[in-house]
Amino acid sequence: MCGEPRREHAGRTVTLVGWAARRRDHGGLVFVDLRDRTGITQLVVNPERAPEAAALAGEIRNEFVLQASGELVARSAETVNPKMPTGAVELALDDLTIVSRSTPLPFQLDEENVDETLRLRYRWLDLRRDKLQRNIRLRAQMVGIIRRHMEAAGFLDIQTPILYKSTPEGARDFVVPSRLHKGRFFALPQSPQTLKQLTMIAGFDRYYQIAICFRDEDLRADRVQELTQLDVEMSFPDREVLFRLMEEMFAAIWRECLEVEISTPWPRMTFAEADRRFGSDKPDTRFGLELEDATELTRGSEFGVFAGADAVRFLRVPRTYSRAELGALEALAKERGAKGLAYVVRDESGELRSPIAKFLSEQELDALAPAPGETLLFAADMWETTSRVLGHLRLHLGRELGLIDDTAFTFLWVTDFPMFEWDDDEERWTAVHHPFTRPTDEWRERFDDDPRHALAYAYDIIVNGNELGGGSFRIHESDIQARVFDLIALTQEQQRSQFGFLLDALAMGAPPHGGIALGIDRMTMVLAGEPNLRDVIAFPKNQAGLDPMSGAPSEITPAQLDELGLTVVAPEEPV
């Protein structure tokens, strides 16, 4: 391979194949950098040694596919290239073949800031770039480690269907019409959730799968509609065993892929603590700047906004801000639902600058204790809103103030999530994780009496503020599962039509079971240090859910529509 020749191979006759990454004509000698997925070797075409090869070398352009044979020759000390693993040798050509030619390129592989749509349109070319080659290799290496780790722990790789049943799981389903059963539809699975539960009920006590999942939702830099996850389930689960299994697997991945040692066991934090300290259920613990609570302190405050708020919380920022800078921070806060952003600035001389200071008593100011050179940023609102606003500001300020060590990896378990949340639009309770999640032991008999405070046996893996995976223990009793369905307002008819098979299975000797699912795409993104999920997927869709390369999704013929029993309703013309 092109990345393999070393000084000790000098004198060997070899044949290399690959792409021409660069050609340089030095008035007689022609140098070509030949590239494959392993690296680059420099070819030297000398007309005195190989006149036919030299004549052909003049035709070479970038991305031509070449086959080159010759002798590996050690470079002289002054021409060694220490930046290349193969830089101590070069291939002196005897024979050269142009295997395949390339049309003019839409962009050069070393070109910076190429438009993403153009890159995706020519994805096969984009994938030849060093960064994407590295990312895809890293992903493959990681998946190989995962498979070895899971199989060594006794887990079976069991494949579940892609054509399945539409069930409510949080996002919209992608649906597939049935030709044989017109008017009926399969759904592409958002996850193999019920299927992996059925493998436990079937007696396969340890299951895993690298599963493709589909969710028809709006896209972001860290979200795609077609995702890959490591899916894990075990019978008679022990949380300590599962946590240790995951920690050891991540440690192996980071060690083998990055040569980074991760300390285990990881710290643990309940959802309530994460929300209280960081305003997030996926806290970035590489830096401090934790939220502080002034609710009780300001309950009797003369500042009415504080006195009447459900919660008053603040960030203690180790720098002072101008009025214009505070205005920019307030705009960020309003993007997350804040009505405003109160502040107290104490400059280096100790003087206070704040429009609310006159409403705060000496006792309140003494308790808040802003130090010289500090700014206090306040959110006063419902508790959930203060978390959302200040959690977002905390991350922004962490980056802006250079508090985050980009070379560090902080792993964390977040546990004891709320079991339900109220949906104002649908006016009903919905499951936070999914409706198959088990309540904690203390809530098992009364979760439906007080759903707002009920806790689930659920947990997430957080790395540097990224949720890389989540799981739970499942409900294995059909009566408890039916109570959850009742609470989230599924009628008896809906329960039978959507989940009757699961309820029947749970009633036929279901073992306790639980597991976890990890996002392969997002794990690779964190491993590779990439901000964009699409750069760790070989053939992704763009942010509009389109494939600029193939043109998918595309129209189908009237004959296909008729065969499927479908009629397409034309979209309304904009007024």
Side-chain angles (χ1 to χ4, degrees):
M1 303 293 282
C2 293
E4 293 179 335
R6 297 293 187 270
R7 182 177 292 278
E8 59 267 26
H9 300 139
R12 287 176 54 178
T13 298
V14 300
T15 297
L16 300 178
V17 291
W19 286 264
R22 188 182 176 204
R23 173 184 173 275
R24 304 177 300 285
D25 193 330
H26 286 200
L29 292 179
V30 175
F31 296 89
V32 178
D33 290 342
L34 192 68
R35 182 197 73 244
D36 64 17
R37 69 178 176 87
T38 65
I40 289 176
T41 290
Q42 178 172 278
L43 313 181
V44 182
V45 189
N46 187 332
E48 295 181 3
R49 177 177 180 133
E52 291 182 7
L56 193 58
E59 302 179 26
I60 294 173
R61 298 292 181 269
N62 284 5
E63 300 311 303
F64 277 28
V65 180
L66 309 178
Q67 178 174 308
S69 298
E71 181 187 357
L72 285 173
V73 178
R75 294 196 198 185
S76 62
E78 61 272 16
T79 60
V80 167
N81 185 347
K83 296 180 180 179
M84 291 172 55
T86 62
V89 292
E90 56 195 13
L91 185 65
L93 255 61
D94 294 317
D95 296 294
L96 175 67
T97 303
I98 296 178
V99 177
S100 178
R101 297 171 185 266
S102 172
T103 58
L105 303 177
F107 56 87
Q108 298 300 316
L109 270 61
D110 59 356
E111 189 176 342
E112 298 290 336
N113 301 316
V114 179
D115 177 72
E116 186 181 56
T117 300
L118 183 64
R119 288 175 46 211
L120 292 177
R121 166 68 182 83
Y122 298 95
R123 187 62 165 180
W124 61 85
L125 185 65
D126 192 35
L127 283 168
R128 294 180 194 171
R129 295 190 303 128
D130 288 344
K131 184 179 82 164
L132 266 69
Q133 286 273 315
R134 167 187 173 265
N135 291 351
I136 300 304
R137 287 198 305 270
L138 192 66
R139 179 185 178 119
Q141 182 184 8
M142 182 185 75
V143 170
I145 296 166
I146 288 171
R147 288 191 179 281
R148 292 196 302 272
H149 190 79
M150 297 307 299
E151 288 164 10
F155 285 77
L156 294 176
D157 182 354
I158 302 176
Q159 184 176 340
T160 55
I162 293 297
L163 294 177
Y164 194 50
K165 181 182 178 66
S166 179
T167 56
E169 290 193 44
R172 297 180 184 89
D173 284 323
F174 283 101
V175 295
V176 180
S178 170
R179 177 184 61 82
L180 297 176
H181 306 280
K182 290 184 179 180
R184 303 177 74 177
F185 297 82
F186 295 104
L188 304 182
Q190 294 185 33
S191 77
Q193 179 58 50
T194 57
L195 291 161
K196 66 181 176 184
Q197 291 189 244
L198 293 174
T199 64
M200 297 299 102
I201 298 170
F204 298 101
D205 62 317
R206 292 196 171 194
Y207 144 100
Y208 89 99
Q209 182 182 187
I210 305 295
I212 308 298
C213 306
F214 306 86
R215 294 168 192 172
D216 187 3
E217 55 190 358
D218 296 334
L219 304 179
R220 299 194 301 249
D222 65 344
R223 177 185 290 173
V224 290
Q225 294 177 327
E226 183 178 349
L227 58 129
T228 307
Q229 69 182 35
L230 166 63
D231 210 40
V232 177
E233 196 80 1
M234 60 191 303
S235 295
F236 304 99
D238 181 318
R239 196 177 75 168
E240 297 307 312
V241 170
L242 182 65
F243 279 19
R244 186 167 64 249
L245 178 71
M246 292 297 104
E247 290 169 355
E248 290 172 352
M249 185 185 75
F250 271 90
I253 291 169
W254 256 249
R255 181 184 307 115
E256 294 184 38
C257 293
L258 300 182
E259 297 182 353
V260 170
E261 290 295 332
I262 295 170
S263 61
T264 59
W266 303 338
R268 302 179 189 184
M269 187 181 299
T270 65
F271 168 87
E273 182 183 357
D275 181 48
R276 174 177 56 80
R277 294 173 56 190
F278 302 99
S280 173
D281 61 356
K282 49 180 182 181
D284 190 338
T285 55
R286 287 176 294 178
F287 67 106
L289 207 65
E290 296 185 17
L291 280 60
E292 300 183 46
D293 192 348
T295 306
E296 292 305 315
L297 173 66
T298 59
R299 186 51 64 221
S301 178
E302 292 183 18
F303 185 44
V305 173
F306 283 4
D310 176 67
V312 180
R313 301 162 77 194
F314 66 96
L315 288 169
R316 188 181 302 273
V317 188
R319 64 155 284 188
T320 60
Y321 289 90
S322 68
R323 186 171 296 179
E325 290 172 324
L326 289 164
L329 292 175
E330 183 176 40
L332 283 175
K334 287 182 175 179
E335 288 178 6
R336 294 303 171 112
K339 300 181 183 70
L341 187 68
Y343 64 86
V344 172
V345 179
R346 189 184 292 277
D347 63 26
E348 283 75 4
S349 68
E351 183 179 350
L352 285 177
R353 285 190 291 111
S354 170
I356 69 169
K358 60 187 176 182
F359 300 109
L360 300 177
S361 66
E362 283 190 27
Q363 180 184 0
E364 288 169 328
L365 287 172
D366 287 346
L368 293 170
E374 277 188 347
T375 298
L376 309 186
L377 300 174
F378 293 87
D381 211 308
M382 299 300 293
W383 179 275
E384 294 81 1
T385 304
T386 63
S387 289
R388 186 170 63 248
V389 170
L390 294 179
H392 177 62
L393 277 179
R394 175 182 177 269
L395 291 176
H396 170 79
L397 293 168
R399 291 187 294 267
E400 184 183 67
L401 299 176
L403 303 178
I404 301 175
D405 180 358
D406 289 329
T407 66
F409 294 99
T410 58
F411 287 75
L412 175 73
W413 288 104
V414 176
T415 66
D416 298 328
F417 280 80
M419 193 170 178
F420 304 102
E421 60 187 350
W422 181 254
D423 188 315
D424 287 325
D425 294 332
E426 298 187 12
E427 296 186 337
R428 68 181 183 94
W429 292 104
T430 60
V432 170
H433 193 65
H434 54 58
F436 317 108
T437 300
R438 186 174 192 77
T440 59
D441 290 345
E442 64 175 311
W443 285 98
R444 177 182 168 185
E445 302 303 327
R446 58 190 181 96
F447 65 83
D448 36 5
D449 294 333
D450 186 10
R452 186 176 301 279
H453 297 103
L455 297 180
Y457 210 129
Y459 34 81
D460 281 355
I461 294 175
I462 310 300
V463 183
N464 295 357
N466 297 279
E467 178 196 331
L468 296 193
S472 66
F473 283 15
R474 326 301 185 187
I475 299 167
H476 67 275
E477 306 96 334
S478 58
D479 59 324
I480 296 179
Q481 186 64 75
R483 284 168 56 199
V484 171
F485 287 157
D486 288 341
L487 180 63
I488 63 176
L490 288 182
T491 66
Q492 291 295 317
E493 182 180 350
Q494 289 172 321
Q495 290 179 35
R496 290 307 308 176
S497 67
Q498 294 177 7
F499 299 109
F501 66 97
L502 178 63
L503 292 171
D504 289 345
L506 291 174
M508 296 184 186
H513 53 282
I516 195 166
L518 307 177
I520 296 292
D521 311 301
R522 200 168 294 180
M523 286 171 68
T524 312
M525 189 175 80
V526 172
L527 261 184
E530 287 288 352
N532 191 327
L533 208 61
R534 291 185 291 280
D535 280 344
V536 299
I537 299 170
F539 296 100
K541 311 298 186 292
N542 66 13
Q543 280 193 295
L546 302 172
D547 179 5
M549 181 182 70
S550 69
S554 55
E555 296 178 350
I556 61 174
T557 66
Q560 287 175 292
L561 288 171
D562 182 63
E563 194 173 37
L564 294 168
L566 298 177
T567 300
V568 175
V569 179
E572 295 182 6
E573 293 292 333
V575 179

